[in-house]
Amino acid sequence: MADDSCDPVPSTEPVPPGTRTVKCVKFGKELPGLDRIPWRGELGKRVYENVSKEAGSSGLSTPR
C-alpha cells in the first residue's frame, strides 16, 4: 500500500506581501509578484500569476 504522507499539502495560509515570486513576462526574470489579483476572472488570474509587482505598478501609473 502506498504511503501518502509524503504528498505535498497545499497551504491555506495567506502569503505575506513581497514573498511570492513570479517569472515576470515583462522583465523575463523571477521578481516579487503582485499582492493581490488586480481584476476578477481569468485575465486577473493570469496577470497575478505572470506579472511582477514592478511591472504591474509601472503599467498602472502611465499617463493616458
Side-chain angles (χ1 to χ4, degrees):
M1 186 153 138
D3 181 13
D4 293 334
S5 64
C6 293
D7 289 342
V9 177
S11 175
T12 57
E13 295 293 316
V15 178
T19 60
R20 188 179 68 83
T21 60
V22 296
K23 171 77 175 193
C24 181
V25 295
K26 182 173 182 178
F27 297 116
K29 57 185 174 181
E30 289 286 326
L31 292 167
L34 297 171
D35 294 332
R36 62 182 185 85
I37 298 174
W39 303 287
R40 285 184 267 173
E42 186 62 31
L43 178 59
K45 183 179 176 185
R46 287 178 53 205
V47 169
Y48 180 74
E49 294 172 349
N50 297 291
V51 176
S52 69
K53 187 182 291 189
E54 183 179 348
S57 65
S58 68
L60 297 174
S61 63
T62 54
R64 293 181 177 217

